[in-house]
Amino acid sequence: MAEQITWTPIKEFREILFTQHGGIAKISINRPQVHNAFTPLTVQEMIEAMDICRNRTDIGVIILTGEGGRAFCSGGDQSVRGHGGYVGEDTVPRLNVLDLQKQIRSIPKPVIAMVAGWAIGGGHVLHVVCDLTIAAENARFGQTGPKVGSFDGGFGASYLARIVGQKKAREIWFLCDQYDAQEALDMGLVNKVVPLDKLEETTVAWCHKILEKSPLALRMLKSSFNAELDGQAGIQELAGNATLLYYLSEEAKEGKNAFLEKRTPDFSKYPKFP
Ligand code: S0N
């Protein structure tokens, strides 16, 4: 029998829902009337929720999704696109979704895009930067930039090309066509396709499988995958994790203890591994 999935609120927001089920956090864009297009506030709220997920040691995996079953996200809300970015209540134009993309990549926990319906434009890029994507049969994917006067030449182009290859990525951006879930699976853009009524159940089952695994191993793997592609920022992430592991060792603690005890550290007892 299918598991009864109950989602408990973590924090109230205006444009997203932020809930948890055990060690799984779910961040869901709650603007179904515009196919979950994002405003600067939506993005700011997702950034805050992601930051909470990073800092909560009981959260091991994050689901990113959209409410309503008809759209994951349709990108930037064109009705608030102004001169130089998307404009919020403070009247300042922003492209703060770029900060969210970097955050999804660097958070040391797997992020799964759970896609029903449209994943379009900046919404498509959001699923691209997630670690895994599980799609419902009604999912449709595509970029619209050159059609609506924009483009994302960052992860939206280069990382997309890493996933589907240069020719396909250029096709996706140059033609602005839409691709169904099976086509997305065939090009390696998503990990699995399931019926819409099985989408959450399957995603949660994948989350449980991930939660059974070693969190430090997952953390090291995510930063290792990133390091190859992300230049100095990727190396910094991987090296930060190496430092975290080193801090856990008796050898590193000897350095700190010697300083606090005002003595010369004795590293002689620690092996010089081959
Ligand atoms: C998703 C589409 C294909 C769905 O078509 P469908 O099913 O016919 O529904 P519609 O009737 O079109 O939509 C239902 C209602 O939702 C509104 N709506 C849909 N998408 C948006 C949107 N993005 N912004 C505002 N409203 C939206 C419709 O208007 C409709 O409302 P009503 O019922 O009142 O008429 C289709 O909807 C579609 O093509 N949508 C637009 C997709 C799009 O072009 N998105 C923007 C792409 N650009 C970005 O996302 C930029 C992201 C960004 O921030 C960025 C980042 C880095 C670098 C650059 C950028 C950059 O600015 O490009």
Side-chain angles (χ1 to χ4, degrees):
M1 194 156 110
E3 180 200 4
Q4 185 66 31
I5 305 164
T6 46
W7 296 99
T8 310
I10 297 179
K11 183 172 175 178
E12 296 289 324
F13 285 104
R14 281 162 60 187
E15 298 192 353
I16 66 167
L17 300 179
F18 183 34
T19 54
Q20 85 179 94
H21 172 69
I24 308 166
K26 183 165 75 166
I27 300 172
S28 189
I29 303 173
N30 191 19
R31 308 187 74 231
Q33 70 283 5
V34 285
H35 286 327
N36 296 317
F38 55 77
T39 68
L41 177 65
T42 325
V43 174
Q44 187 48 47
E45 291 181 348
M46 286 197 277
I47 287 172
E48 191 184 332
M50 226 18 113
D51 195 48
I52 291 170
C53 292
R54 178 169 193 140
N55 286 297
R56 286 262 306 259
T57 53
D58 61 324
I59 304 265
V61 58
I62 299 118
I63 297 173
L64 190 64
T65 192
E67 288 299 297
R70 293 197 308 135
F72 169 75
C73 176
S74 61
D77 187 323
Q78 298 304 291
S79 71
V80 299
R81 181 172 148 191
H83 197 54
Y86 293 82
V87 181
E89 284 168 354
D90 63 1
T91 73
V92 178
R94 288 194 170 78
L95 279 172
N96 58 349
V97 75
L98 298 177
D99 298 324
L100 176 64
Q101 293 173 5
K102 283 191 285 186
Q103 198 185 16
I104 292 170
R105 255 183 105 67
S106 66
I107 188 170
K109 303 172 182 183
V111 182
I112 304 182
M114 182 170 82
V115 178
W118 297 106
I120 292 282
H124 187 256
V125 179
L126 281 182
H127 106 84
V128 164
V129 297
C130 287
D131 297 293
L132 302 167
T133 298
I134 303 182
E137 284 166 350
N138 74 339
R140 286 184 79 80
F141 300 86
Q143 296 296 157
T144 59
K147 207 163 60 176
V148 296
S150 71
F151 66 94
D152 181 346
F155 291 124
S158 61
Y159 188 48
L160 179 68
R162 288 289 188 139
I163 295 171
V164 300
Q166 282 281 340
K167 294 275 184 189
K168 200 71 191 177
R170 287 167 203 236
E171 174 193 311
I172 290 170
W173 274 101
F174 293 174
L175 274 65
C176 298
D177 279 346
Q178 291 158 358
Y179 303 85
D180 67 24
Q182 188 56 49
E183 289 172 304
L185 186 67
D186 293 343
M187 68 174 105
L189 189 56
V190 306
N191 297 87
K192 192 169 180 67
V193 178
V194 295
L196 179 58
D197 64 358
K198 294 275 184 281
L199 180 61
E200 186 160 279
E201 182 186 319
T202 308
T203 309
V204 167
W206 280 45
C207 289
H208 283 313
K209 278 192 183 178
I210 289 170
L211 287 171
E212 287 164 4
K213 308 296 184 296
S214 157
L216 271 175
L218 295 172
R219 181 186 184 107
M220 295 303 294
L221 277 167
K222 178 161 176 172
S223 62
S224 302
F225 280 121
N226 288 351
E228 189 221 338
L229 304 175
D230 290 356
Q232 283 206 318
I235 291 168
Q236 187 223 29
E237 223 175 82
L238 185 60
N241 286 336
T243 306
L244 183 160
L245 292 176
Y246 180 57
Y247 275 3
L248 297 175
S249 72
E250 291 307 314
E251 182 179 333
K253 286 176 192 163
E254 167 62 11
K256 180 202 71 172
N257 291 340
F259 176 81
L260 293 177
E261 292 161 15
K262 301 192 185 308
R263 61 176 173 80
T264 305
D266 177 12
F267 290 116
S268 64
K269 56 188 170 222
Y270 301 107
K272 284 99 185 143
F273 289 106

